[in-house]
Amino acid sequence: MSLEPIALTTPLFYVNDRPHIGSAYPTIAADAFARFYRLKGHPVMFVTGTDEHGQKIQRTAEKNNLSPQDHCDRTVAEFYTLWERLNIRFDRFTRTTAPKHQAIVNEFFQRVYDSGDIYLNQQKGWYCVACEEFKEERELPTSHHCPIHTNVVCEWRDEPNYFFRLSKYQDALIQFHEMNLDFIQPESRRNEVLGFMKQGLQDFSISRVNLDWGFPIPIDPTHTIYVWFDALLGYVTALLDPDDEPTLENALKKWYPFNLHIIGKDILRFHAIYWPAMLMSAGLALPKRVFGHGLLTKDGLKMGKTLGNTIDPYDLVDRFGADAIRYYFLKEIEFGKDGDFSEERFISIVNADLANSLGNLLNRSLGMVNKYCQGTIPAIDPSDPSEVSNLIKPVIEQASNLGDRVASDYQNLNFRAACEKILELIWNCNKLIDETTPWKQFKAGKQKEVNETLYALLESVRIAAYLIAPITSNLSIAAYQQLGLSFDEANPPDWSHTNWGILQSGQMLGIPTPIFQRIENTKV
């Protein structure tokens, strides 16, 4: 029986600058989610990419004496480099400057126009170039500074624009959200969106004049399509197979609708209100879930270039490696809430969990197997745990049902809870060593008891390594190798590896070497 295809996206990142930790964070989460579903055997389409049009890009390129396309190409190369170093295994990288994308945007625009939902009117209002968005007066302070980009003063615009009839979909959107309580997650984000909608939805501008960098409106080339109307469709363009003609029919044939959009809470309104209304207008199915993650701070302070406290993800991955970064951001920060990065706490957490707990358990267990079982999996029948001691039974039970419990957390993007359940098994295994003292059992000639304890330890650490693989795949691959098994990222072991009894008696084990090197805190 074939399993449900899973299609998910990160935001399409704006290329006004090189990627930062705010770009890396949702991409790491999306990658872990995609890897989990690949372990479960689902076909997965993981889409990421870049949003490359708009006035902000044009101005940034001019400032750097580049053409907008050259600027975009250079920045996109930076995203590819960082994703590779962070071990991100995306399936499609979509760019809104791609020729096929224009055909999809034009066809979609025509559908919405034919629905009677696009009209020409005069746009008057305050525009934030950094957001590429008109702001409502009620959102702005008297100084007209943007509430998100607080150093940017919004510009007054008075110009003809094409508008989308968002107000027409007010009742349909409210009904949709009432019938799909899990569409927006976490719940706090849902409340924000419903609160905004209750104030009354207003039609929004979907074109700009006096702007060259973007696609022309098909019915009026003197206007350029607004960056957000164009960018949201980048998700759809990504679903085209390489040889497909760029039509909506081809793009929607296999992977649509999306199961999940992971986005920052600052762009929630576009994904939870504008995008569903646009899709309704075009007669297309809506995505199943939009998850708005929180914002990051550093050492308790909001990050910014003016404060000089931004986090450079290239520097982090150079110094600490992908696994440590992925683990900290997904385990230490509850996904969906704002979170803080402190280098001291980062080092402390990854050392305690990955080196001292998981890594040390594997090392100790392999060391004892070498001493007491000639470096092979102990002779034991794993299918019959009834004879083992009462000290071991709880660990076997915990490890045996860990897969189902952790699966639920991954499905709900509760990475912290998944890590905590895996760590609990590791801690109980370390406790089991202290309680059973295999070295004393061996000295007393109790080889059967030694075998039972060591098999339980090895099989538990294998299950833990398997289940943490969506977050720390390099560490998991290393653990599997030392247990005499293979773990291919492109074709990982299937979900049956969450079952007890995969390790077979007599199997030779690898030489114990640390699977995670402790990080030394070099700060004075």
Side-chain angles (χ1 to χ4, degrees), residues 182-196:
D182 293 332
F183 177 70
I184 305 171
Q185 293 180 340
E187 190 177 352
S188 58
R189 304 278 179 265
R190 183 173 181 272
N191 295 336
E192 287 171 29
V193 169
L194 293 180
F196 181 82

Side-chain angles (χ1 to χ4, degrees), residues 230-241:
D230 151 13
L232 289 162
L233 288 159
Y235 299 136
V236 174
T237 304
L239 302 180
L240 288 165
D241 286 333

Side-chain angles (χ1 to χ4, degrees), residues 146-450:
C146 172
I148 295 170
H149 302 92
T150 51
N151 61 335
V152 174
V153 178
C154 296
E155 302 173 7
W156 178 256
R157 300 280 175 90
D158 184 354
E159 61 190 32
N161 281 183
Y162 283 89
F163 283 76
F164 172 71
R165 295 187 195 276
L166 181 64
S167 57
K168 172 181 167 182
Y169 292 92
Q170 167 111 16
D171 292 342
L173 285 168
I174 289 173
Q175 186 179 8
F176 171 78
H177 286 298
E178 284 174 351
M179 293 178 64
N180 297 275
L181 299 179
D182 293 332
F183 177 70
I184 305 171
Q185 293 180 340
E187 190 177 352
S188 58
R189 304 278 179 265
R190 183 173 181 272
N191 295 336
E192 287 171 29
V193 169
L194 293 180
F196 181 82
M197 285 173 53
K198 281 174 185 171
Q199 298 174 52
L201 297 180
Q202 298 179 9
D203 298 350
F204 70 93
S205 161
I206 60 163
S207 77
R208 300 291 181 265
V209 291
N210 305 316
L211 173 66
D212 300 326
W213 188 237
F215 298 141
I217 291 265
I219 58 169
D220 185 351
T222 63
H223 285 248
T224 298
I225 291 180
Y226 169 47
V227 60
W228 269 105
F229 192 92
D230 151 13
L232 289 162
L233 288 159
Y235 299 136
V236 174
T237 304
L239 302 180
L240 288 165
D241 286 333
D243 297 330
D244 281 347
E245 285 295 312
T247 65
L248 281 173
E249 183 183 3
N250 283 336
L252 306 176
K253 65 187 175 186
K254 179 176 181 182
W255 296 101
Y256 194 83
F258 287 99
N259 298 78
L260 174 67
H261 291 304
I262 293 179
I263 48 117
K265 65 180 183 180
D266 53 330
I267 54 172
L268 182 62
R269 194 183 306 167
F270 291 101
H271 288 79
I273 299 176
Y274 295 16
W275 180 224
M278 288 159 57
L279 292 170
M280 287 176 179
S281 175
L284 302 182
L286 274 57
K288 296 176 184 176
R289 182 162 48 148
V290 172
F291 195 103
H293 67 79
L295 301 181
L296 300 175
T297 56
K298 184 181 180 188
D299 300 320
L301 297 171
K302 187 176 179 181
M303 285 184 280
K305 289 179 181 175
T306 48
L307 286 173
N309 69 338
T310 54
I311 299 172
D312 180 354
Y314 295 89
D315 172 61
L316 277 187
V317 78
D318 279 348
R319 291 193 289 142
F320 304 121
D323 278 359
I325 296 163
R326 291 168 64 102
Y327 182 80
Y328 178 86
F329 281 107
L330 295 186
K331 187 262 180 179
E332 193 55 23
I333 298 168
E334 187 176 343
F335 199 63
K337 293 187 176 177
D338 293 349
D340 189 64
F341 177 84
S342 149
E343 189 165 310
E344 203 166 312
R345 181 157 180 75
F346 164 79
I347 291 171
S348 170
I349 291 289
V350 296
N351 279 344
D353 294 358
L354 302 184
N356 301 351
S357 295
L358 178 54
N360 188 45
L361 173 63
L362 178 61
N363 220 254
R364 287 176 81 188
S365 303
L366 289 174
M368 287 188 286
V369 168
N370 280 340
K371 276 186 183 178
Y372 311 134
C373 304
Q374 296 77 50
T376 63
I377 300 289
I380 186 173
D381 179 6
S383 65
D384 182 21
S386 59
E387 297 300 314
V388 300
S389 76
N390 288 333
L391 287 173
I392 298 174
K393 280 179 184 174
V395 168
I396 294 176
E397 187 178 334
Q398 184 186 7
S400 299
N401 66 35
L402 188 60
D404 289 341
R405 295 189 299 123
V406 165
S408 175
D409 293 327
Y410 275 125
Q411 285 159 358
N412 293 316
L413 290 99
N414 195 345
F415 304 109
R416 169 185 267 187
C419 290
E420 285 173 344
K421 288 182 178 71
I422 293 164
L423 278 173
E424 189 183 2
L425 174 62
I426 297 302
W427 294 333
N428 286 340
C429 285
N430 278 316
K431 187 178 164 194
L432 180 65
I433 294 173
D434 297 335
E435 290 173 337
T436 55
T437 57
W439 49 94
K440 289 183 181 176
Q441 292 174 333
F442 183 74
K443 273 188 180 177
K446 298 179 177 178
Q447 189 63 44
K448 178 177 178 289
E449 287 83 349
V450 171

